[in-house]
């Protein structure tokens, strides 16, 4: 296979000016990140700072009601509230170890921005976060959190003023500041080696979940389910189960309002292959190759592309990708909150909603849902929609 | 086969001047007047004209070019419009023609179909800002078969090793990016530009054009001898936006 590719997907479609830092990062991945020293330090941070291992929680009420044995991998219990911290602590640590001073990032919902600002504070790095101007308005709490953590938040006014434009702005900034800044990419997407790097840091989710489930249930689950925005929590949830052919891997995309032709965030279900943000992958685009705006009630899923490894897993048939709309995600939010006392992030609700929607077919089976984050950040959206 | 782009710059050099390469997004400022503006640039002394293929997510561009491209997109400019319009107007233009843009619109058009239609329209070269050497093999071969040059972009951080990689099969001219940054005018060029240009000169045996951030002919005086041609986009767009015409813009450069 071509270097940096997963099947037909992946690659490095960036201006030549970004090739030197990407090649440097590839060296860092192989010569720093994959060493015992780095792994030991990271393990220490994950244990003592992030609070890992995160719990594996069985849902007795929901399980009884649906007839499906439902378990949650609790990334919502991580410091700063989501799986994003696994990746930013990893990239923050590598930034520190290679001697760069600035941790820069893009963010949509603000979760990755908060996690990056947190890691920057932890490692004594300065932090710049690019965020679409529309998202700055929609996610003011997270903007405030980032600023309190010492980050500079740059509101991006170009294009659709959302995550995809924040990524464009971040790539532009990185071209100029590559000598001092590390681009802490927020998901398992972008040009090689980011999909591999983020995968490396998120694999801890399934490493823990697989061992925890084996210990508690004495066997493997029938399926693992995770929401897919860029695809990082899903890749993390899938990784350790990839060789377990009997375990279904299910990613869940956001269908938006669900009407035919509505804006959605489901490039694997409703897109076509193309090139954006340095990668060849499934994209929401016009026939002419212009990128379409995306939408989801869950701000963290609102992205017209997806990490290339998911495109490859879909093409090979190893993973399946479902579609859940805004209303179904909200129903899952209510179900989990009322029946188990856990307020999930709206992103994660898509994964849970898929299980609830498909309960009849899953009867008698065990599934682990990746609860990628907590819902505190979404309370305004929930209130607007549920009253 | 000879490269028309190389010849154009070499001829300018023989006449004792810099090759002039204006850039304008296809269909900008508006679809109706676009080909007349190109004809005026041509008559005003452009040796090569770069036509931008608008893309929704132009990562290598600064705000002026991005806004102009989005304005063109809103008017429905697409690759088919540019290629058919060029085919109809090519006879009016004596300059070499280079298309510049991003990979996805070309990929969706179909690489083979694109190469075929570009050749028919009289395109001489292609610049894809997000297609580094490693990813360019397929389209380079399709273009080379039709005598269209894939122009390499290199910059201040391009190592000798990577320059040699590009030089191995480079045709037309080399596009040297003057800044570690996006398109857009700068008041001064970084000192490292001189070293970068010298390295590029050593590695390539085709003409060297400098682009990104070029504001005025005066700015380039200090680089005389180090470059063979200059590319200007943002400053031309700004000139047109301010009500200036293409002939007036070229007059500043062509003297
Ligand atoms: C809580 C949560 N879950 C999931 C996602 C989606 O990202 P990914 O698919 O990369 O895990 C986000 C992104 O912001 C998020 O905040």
């Amino acid at each position: 296979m071509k270097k940096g590719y997963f099947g037909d997907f992946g690659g490095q479609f960036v201006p030549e000016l970004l090739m030197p830092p990407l090649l440097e990062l590839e060296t860092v991945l192989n010569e720093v990140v994959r060493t015992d020293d780095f792994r030991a330090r990271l393990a220490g941070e994950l244990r003592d700072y992030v609070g890992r291992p995160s719990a594996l929680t069985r849902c007795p009420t929901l399980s009884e009601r649906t007839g499906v044995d439902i378990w949650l991998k609790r990334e919502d219990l991580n410091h700063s509230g989501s799986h994003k911290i696994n990746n930013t602590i990893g990239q923050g640590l590598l930034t520190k170890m290679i001697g760069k001073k600035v941790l820069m990032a893009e963010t949509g919902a603000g979760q990755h921005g908060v996690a990056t600002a947190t890691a920057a504070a932890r490692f004594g790095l300065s932090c710049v976060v690019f965020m679409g101007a529309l998202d700055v308005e929609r996610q003011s709490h997270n903007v405030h959190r980032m600023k309190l953590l010492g980050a500079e938040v740059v509101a991006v006014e170009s294009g659709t003023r959302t995550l995809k434009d924040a990524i464009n702005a971040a790539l532009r900034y990185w071209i100029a500041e590559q000598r001092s800044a590390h681009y802490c990419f927020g998901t398992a997407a972008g040009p090689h080696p980011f999909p591999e790097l983020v995968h490396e840091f998120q694999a801890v989710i399934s490493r823990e979940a697989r061992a925890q489930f084996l210990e508690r249930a004495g066997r493997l689950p029938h399926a693992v389910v995770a929401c897919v925005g860029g695809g990082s929590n899903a890749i993390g949830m899938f990784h350790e189960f990839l060789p377990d052919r009997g375990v279904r891997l299910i990613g869940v995309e956001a269908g938006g309002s669900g009407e035919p032709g509505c804006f959605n965030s489901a490039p694997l279900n409703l897109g076509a292959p193309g090139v954006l943000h340095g990668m060849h992958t499934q994209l929401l685009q016009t026939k002419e190759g212009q990128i379409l705006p995306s939408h989801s009630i869950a701000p963290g899923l609102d992205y017209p592309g997806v990490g290339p490894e998911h495109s490859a897993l879909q093409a090979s048939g190893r993973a399946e990708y479902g579609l859940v709309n805004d209303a179904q995600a909200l129903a899952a939010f209510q179900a989990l909150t009322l029946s188990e006392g856990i307020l999930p992030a709206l992103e994660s609700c898509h994964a849970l909603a898929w299980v609830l929607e498909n309960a009849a077919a899953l009867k008698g089976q065990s599934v682990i849902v990746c609860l990628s984050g907590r819902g505190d950040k979404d309370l305004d959206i929930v209130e607007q929609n549920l009253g | 086969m000879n490269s028309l782009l190389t010849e154009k710059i070499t001829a300018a050099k023989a006449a004792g001047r810099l090759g002039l390469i204006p850039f304008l997004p296809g269909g900008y400022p508006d679809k109706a007047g676009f080909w007349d503006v190109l004809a005026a640039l041509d008559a005003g002394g452009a040796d090569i004209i770069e036509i931008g293929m608008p893309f929704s997510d132009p990562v290598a561009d600064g705000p002026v070019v991005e806004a102009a491209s989005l304005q063109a997109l809103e008017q429905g400019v697409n690759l088919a419009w540019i290629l058919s319009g060029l085919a109809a107007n090519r006879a009016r233009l004596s300059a070499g023609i280079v298309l510049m843009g991003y990979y996805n619109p070309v990929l969706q058009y179909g690489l083979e179909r694109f190469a075929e239609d570009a050749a028919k329209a009289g395109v001489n070269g292609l610049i894809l800002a997000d297609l580094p050497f490693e990813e360019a093999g397929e389209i380079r071969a399709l273009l080379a078969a039709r005598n269209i040059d894939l122009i390499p972009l290199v910059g201040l951080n391009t190592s000798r090793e990577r320059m040699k990689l590009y030089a191995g099969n480079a045709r037309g001219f080399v596009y040297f990016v003057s800044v570690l940054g996006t398109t857009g005018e700068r008041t001064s060029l970084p000192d490292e530009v001189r070293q970068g240009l010298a390295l590029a000169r050593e590695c390539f045996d085709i003409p060297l054009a400098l682009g990104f951030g070029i504001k005025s002919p005066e700015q380039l005086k200090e680089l005389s001898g180090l470059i063979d041609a200059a590319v200007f986009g943002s400053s031309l767009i700004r000139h047109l936006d301010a009500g200036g015409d293409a002939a007036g813009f070229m007059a500043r450069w062509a003297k």
Side-chain angles (χ1 to χ4, degrees):
Chain A
M1 207 194 307
K2 234 175 114 179
K3 190 191 82 182
Y5 274 79
F6 306 90
D8 290 338
F9 301 98
Q12 294 178 301
F13 296 87
V14 294
E16 172 57 35
L17 300 192
L18 277 181
M19 287 303 290
L22 287 175
L23 293 168
E24 176 193 37
L25 193 56
E26 204 179 311
T27 308
V28 168
L29 176 59
N30 292 320
E31 295 178 5
V32 178
V33 174
R34 287 174 176 152
T35 61
D36 291 343
D37 175 39
F38 184 92
R39 288 190 166 138
R41 288 207 216 183
L42 180 59
E45 288 295 322
L46 292 178
R47 184 188 62 232
D48 302 333
Y49 185 70
V50 174
R52 304 203 70 94
S54 67
L56 182 72
T57 303
R58 187 168 182 275
C59 299
T61 311
L62 269 187
S63 296
E64 186 165 348
R65 195 193 307 157
T66 57
V68 184
D69 188 28
I70 299 175
W71 301 67
L72 305 175
K73 180 60 178 160
R74 300 290 304 281
E75 296 301 302
D76 61 314
L77 296 179
N78 293 343
H79 175 52
S80 85
S82 78
H83 70 294
K84 297 285 180 191
I85 194 82
N86 303 326
N87 173 41
T88 61
I89 286 293
Q91 295 203 45
L93 183 60
L94 84 80
T95 303
K96 181 97 180 153
M97 285 173 72
I98 62 177
K100 288 194 174 179
K101 301 284 182 251
V102 182
L103 205 55
M104 50 159 298
E106 83 297 336
T107 195
Q111 269 327 81
H112 175 59
V114 167
T116 305
T118 301
R122 172 74 175 168
F123 294 115
L125 304 163
S126 49
C127 185
V128 183
V129 179
F130 293 86
M131 190 168 181
L134 194 62
D135 292 328
V136 169
E137 287 162 28
R138 292 194 290 201
Q139 302 285 313
S140 59
H141 288 300
N142 274 340
V143 174
H144 192 52
R145 283 168 81 190
M146 285 183 262
K147 289 185 174 163
L148 288 173
L149 288 160
E152 178 193 347
V153 180
V154 181
V156 178
E157 296 285 354
S158 58
T160 56
R161 304 161 81 229
T162 59
L163 176 60
K164 83 173 175 65
D165 308 286
I167 296 179
N168 293 338
L171 287 168
R172 288 169 178 156
Y173 180 86
W174 199 32
I175 291 177
E177 302 300 329
Q178 54 183 266
R179 287 165 181 156
S180 59
H182 170 70
Y183 185 0
C184 183
F185 209 86
T187 188
H192 172 71
F194 283 114
E196 249 183 66
L197 184 72
V198 177
H199 179 151
E200 175 94 15
F201 292 140
Q202 293 295 1
V204 65
I205 300 174
S206 51
R207 233 175 358 253
E208 289 177 6
R210 189 175 184 281
Q212 287 166 322
F213 191 87
L214 271 177
E215 192 192 312
R216 302 263 294 277
R219 54 179 169 76
L220 291 173
H222 294 89
V224 298
V225 187
C227 67
V228 178
S232 70
N233 86 94
I235 275 303
M237 189 70 227
F238 292 174
H239 178 262
E240 208 71 1
F241 295 102
L242 279 170
D244 300 320
R245 290 279 152 179
V247 178
R248 283 174 75 188
L249 309 178
I250 295 151
V252 184
E253 295 192 305
S257 66
E259 296 131 33
C262 70
F263 284 135
N264 61 80
S265 303
L268 290 163
N269 282 285
L270 303 170
V275 168
L276 177 72
H277 295 151
M279 57 179 166
H280 184 236
T281 191
Q282 291 288 127
L283 298 175
L284 300 178
Q285 57 179 322
T286 66
K287 282 197 308 293
E288 288 159 0
Q290 306 298 340
I291 306 306
L292 286 168
S294 55
H295 173 74
S296 166
I297 194 169
L301 301 183
D302 194 344
Y303 180 55
V306 62
E309 192 170 1
H310 287 293
S311 296
L313 285 170
Q314 181 188 45
S316 73
R318 177 63 188 96
E320 310 155 52
Y321 294 88
L323 199 56
V324 154
N325 66 36
D326 292 347
Q328 293 169 323
L330 277 173
F333 178 92
Q334 285 182 297
L336 192 68
T337 306
L338 292 172
S339 62
E340 310 290 341
I342 297 170
L343 273 77
L346 287 173
E347 291 81 7
S348 322
C349 291
H350 285 72
L352 182 65
W354 186 89
V355 175
L356 301 180
E357 296 291 325
N358 290 279
L362 297 167
K363 232 180 187 68
Q365 301 189 1
S366 323
V367 299
I368 306 178
V369 173
C370 183
L371 205 73
S372 56
R374 56 177 170 250
D376 309 33
K377 69 182 179 66
D378 297 323
L379 296 184
D380 290 348
I381 302 175
V382 170
E383 194 177 295
Q384 277 163 23
N385 286 276
L386 295 179
Chain B
M1 255 184 292
N2 288 343
S3 160
L4 180 81
L5 301 176
T6 308
E7 282 169 10
K8 288 283 179 192
I9 300 177
T10 312
K13 206 173 171 181
R17 57 176 184 84
L18 273 186
L20 301 180
I21 312 182
F23 164 91
L24 213 53
Y28 186 85
D30 55 66
K31 280 165 92 173
F34 177 69
W35 300 105
D36 290 338
V37 177
L38 279 206
L41 291 170
D42 188 79
D47 298 290
I48 294 168
I49 298 173
E50 274 183 25
I51 303 174
M53 303 179 283
F55 180 48
S56 52
D57 294 78
V59 170
D61 286 308
V64 175
V65 173
E66 176 175 36
S69 300
L70 295 182
Q71 188 177 321
L73 273 180
E74 275 159 23
Q75 295 174 61
V77 170
N78 59 27
L79 211 38
W81 182 85
I82 291 174
L83 288 171
S84 64
L86 181 61
N89 287 278
R90 186 66 178 98
R92 299 167 69 192
L93 310 168
S94 67
I97 296 290
V98 171
L99 298 184
M100 172 162 189
Y102 294 81
Y103 194 43
N104 199 46
V106 174
L107 192 63
Q108 303 308 324
Y109 193 89
L111 297 187
E112 180 116 36
R113 178 177 159 228
F114 172 80
E116 198 54 46
D117 289 355
K120 277 190 213 144
V123 171
N124 308 107
L126 178 69
I127 299 175
L128 290 175
D130 58 350
L131 201 69
F133 183 86
E134 284 81 348
E135 307 288 357
E138 189 178 356
I139 194 161
R140 187 188 292 107
L142 289 167
L143 295 173
R146 294 161 179 88
N147 200 29
I148 299 174
D149 305 335
L150 186 65
I151 308 298
L153 278 167
V154 298
L156 296 170
N157 60 348
T158 309
S159 62
R160 179 184 303 266
E161 189 190 355
R162 287 191 68 76
M163 286 211 191
K164 294 260 182 192
L165 200 62
Y166 280 102
N169 53 17
R171 289 172 45 93
F173 62 93
V174 189
Y175 191 131
F176 192 94
V177 178
S178 71
V179 288
L180 265 189
T182 52
T183 56
E185 299 156 79
R186 311 286 200 282
T187 43
S188 67
L189 296 172
D191 287 342
E192 305 151 88
V193 167
R194 302 181 73 87
Q195 287 150 278
L197 288 170
L199 180 61
R201 186 67 96 195
E202 227 182 284
C203 296
F204 291 91
D205 58 6
I206 49 179
L208 198 50
L210 186 69
F212 282 42
I214 312 297
K215 196 183 168 83
S216 67
E218 293 69 38
Q219 195 184 15
L220 297 181
K221 283 222 175 77
E222 50 176 317
L223 298 177
S224 86
L226 287 172
I227 57 174
D228 307 310
V231 185
F232 19 79
S234 299
S235 57
L236 170 59
I237 292 168
R238 274 236 260 261
H239 176 88
L240 297 179
D241 281 349
D245 64 2
F249 181 85
M250 291 305 295
R252 271 169 66 203
W253 287 85
K255 56 175 187 273

